[in-house]
Amino acid sequence: MKKMNYMQGAVCCYTKALKLTDSHADKAVLYRNRSACYLKLEEYSKAEADASKALDTDQGDVKARFRRAQAFQKLGRFDQAFLDAQRCAQLEPKNKAFQDLLRQLGAQIQQKVSAQLNSTDARVQQMFSLLLDPSTKECDRQKAAQNLVVLSREEAGAEQIFRNDGVKLIQKLLQSKLEDVVLSALRTLVGLCTGHQSRVSQLCVVMGSGASSVSLAACHLLQVMFEALTEGMKREIRGKDEAILPEPSKELRSMLRHLLEMMPASNVSGPGRDSAINLLVKQVPRKSLKNPDNSLTLWVVDQGLKKILEVAGTVPEISEGPPLTDNSHMSCSVLLSKLYDDLKSDKERENFNKLCEEYVQQHFSRPGLDGKLRAIQTVSVLLQGPSDVGNRTLEMSGMMDAVISLCASEDVTHQQVAVEALIHAAGKAKRASFITANGVSLLKDLYKKSENDRIRVRALVGLCKLGSAGGTDFSMKQFAEGSTLKLAKQCRKWLCNETLPPTSRRWSVEGLAYLTFDADVKEDLVEDKNALLAMFDLAKSEDKTVLFAVGSTLVNCTNSYDVEKPDPQMVELAKYAKQHVPEEHPKDAPSYVEKRLVKLLEAGVVSALVCMVKQESPALTEACRECIARVFLALVERQEDRGTVVAQGGGKALIPLASDNTDAGKIKAAQALAKITITSNPEIAFPGERIYEVVRPLTSLLRLECTLLQNFEALMALTNLAGINDRLRQKIIKEKAVPKIEGYMFEEHDLVRASATECMCNLVLNTEVQKLYLATGNDRLKLLVLYSGEDDGRLRKAAAGTLAMLTAEHPELCARIPGTTTHWLEIVQALLLSEIPDLRHRGVVIVQNMIQAEKSLAEKLIESEALEILSVLAKGGDGMPDAVSKIAQNCLDKAMEYGIIRNREEKEKSSGTEP
């Protein structure tokens, strides 16, 4: 008991001593000694904290480190204790106490690991028993499978599953007829192989399931495998991975070969094949064209292009090809386009063309119609993907003649394949004029005379495509007045007809995508709420091929495409030279567009766009994402609509659009985010961690390539974020936005310059930004002083506010203000005399900071007219804010404390002048 009292007394003494010294070295010794006392008192958390404080001063303090190791040991934090004890033994290898502690800790760590493994092993064994026992109830079997998923995500659990030959059990589970059990098995595999290259090689199994949910889970598993193998190619392989998987690229190619073999395989389901295509789209092409290595793409082209073309050329109704979904052909088009775009040289592209031409020619030259239909279907897919390749195959001898003749076939399937090829060819520059001249009459006949709606709707889309050749140019219409509206009306009719198959209804959206270049069609469509709802339902459906058509239609309806306004002088010159001048439709005026946006919002367009963004499909291409981003930007143009967009999930959907998109799409999405952040509470619009994801897109708008409006909105949005908390300010700094913001503080445009200064005003709350102003040899402080004297009230407020905060936080900056400009005193006095309350308040704060910082600065201020101004302000009255009067009085009190005011009065009396 006496010993305990003695230790308590020692702690009190050390605590008092810490308050009496400013020496870091002395404090380190006192903390180290107090740590020893706390160890004796069994207050281990305090002992660890004091030892850490001692080590902050001197990392080589072996006594402090030893005491921290002892504290960690008692707290059960054996890993940290072991590291400290190991460091002590390195510093003093012959110290027996250090060696003993290391041995104790080694034994304790081993015991802890064994206990964890035994506990986990028991749980794994229990799950296996339940899953393998035929008498287990199905509900218990499902629970056991779900528990296995949880165990696989723990390091110890994953290890035990492998030791107990769990992979074979999981393969048995994959054969279960219960979808939930199969999903659990797949998710267990994901947990097992995540981040483990050696396990990936053992878990690459064939999965081509009929259920779409199981297929998606399998796709996730394979994606994790790809990522682990790709990561392995980037680093040096060591340890146990080295023995199992010496060359990741071999395993990667092995997996790719398996995916390519799935393409033509008849035993692989449609959803499984789509998932395989999706993986190839995501994993094979380079993520950035700056990466010179496109070897994976070249390997896939050489080894698997013709297998991909097998899927592209399959016509399910007439050939015994692999099972397809409605999305398979579109997915193939996207994959082929991605592979072609990833090629670097003419030689590589020529090889791609040659392989495609060989495949098409091989089938086209076969006797009978089946081969020709397969060849035409392949050309159709190529035209939707790498169109240059599609055009070359279309120009092969006899191909176009075969397409035209099959359009007149009595077989509906033959007609369908040929008409679709004709439609896709019509959009390509090389063939559009030929088809306009030769195909319009054919398509009209099919539309009028065919008794099958599948053919009629496709013929209608062909006519729509040809009828929209003039784009938004009101003066260039291909068809007679009213014809376009009739076509659009029929498209809307088919779109709302739920008895038609989804593929036919999707084609009607394709037609509207072309026809909505016409403003009259836009107006009719937004007035038809049933048609809008039907289109939005299709966008949310399983048919992903409709996404781009819906996106294009909405871009047209919202006029969110880019339109360059012609120079009026050039227009006059063009008219004089009798050149064609594009004309805008009267119903494309802003007032009409605004009304259309309101009607789209009322119909639920935001929820449709959000669902479209969530789609995991190659059909959600970058071009499609750009369309969605453009529509979102149009929807948030009006401030009063932004709350609706956020409430329906638009803010969340915009974040991925700002990172995974075309360059133009990224800018549009980022600008939409900026508009939302300016007028909405960012913490509500982007809750939780999502708010930190907004910073990077906003920073991307601070570029010369962006417009001044985009710069301005980004700065305003960043100002709002910087005012929330320091973690957000730190994120802005990490994204290297500060130098860009400083650059815009010199911008000639008043609003941009002021918004950049406002942003900096909020950022100076961060210590890292404050250090920039504390550093010497730059004009940052001078700029703030000069801006505080500008005519622009908004700029003055921001600069004076920044100056007030900086001088309050760092008084040493006050002494540097007189050296910034000879007019500094006039600027300060002008702030004090301002009629704007905010500026006056900032002025008195700056003066107070300067007077409190140094007596010499106080003398300069009091000897000027500032004394009289402060005296008036201190009296208050006439609507003077109490805060301003109080600060002004504080300034006068401090001057009196210095004796400056009294000395001034005495001098004036001795010289015979009135004060």
Side-chain angles (χ1 to χ4, degrees), residues 407 415 419 442-450 456 459:
C407 283
Q415 275 190 315
V419 171
L442 176 63
L443 290 169
K444 281 183 178 178
D445 285 344
L446 287 171
Y447 173 59
K448 291 176 181 178
K449 297 176 182 178
S450 177
R456 291 188 70 213

Side-chain angles (χ1 to χ4, degrees), residues 222-248:
L222 288 166
Q223 189 167 342
V224 171
M225 292 178 176
F226 268 113
E227 286 167 359
L229 288 168
T230 307
E231 190 60 32
M233 291 174 69
K234 295 177 184 175
R235 63 180 176 84
E236 187 179 350
I237 305 162
R238 293 180 180 176
K240 57 185 180 183
D241 275 354
E242 188 173 11
I244 300 167
L245 192 60
E247 192 178 346

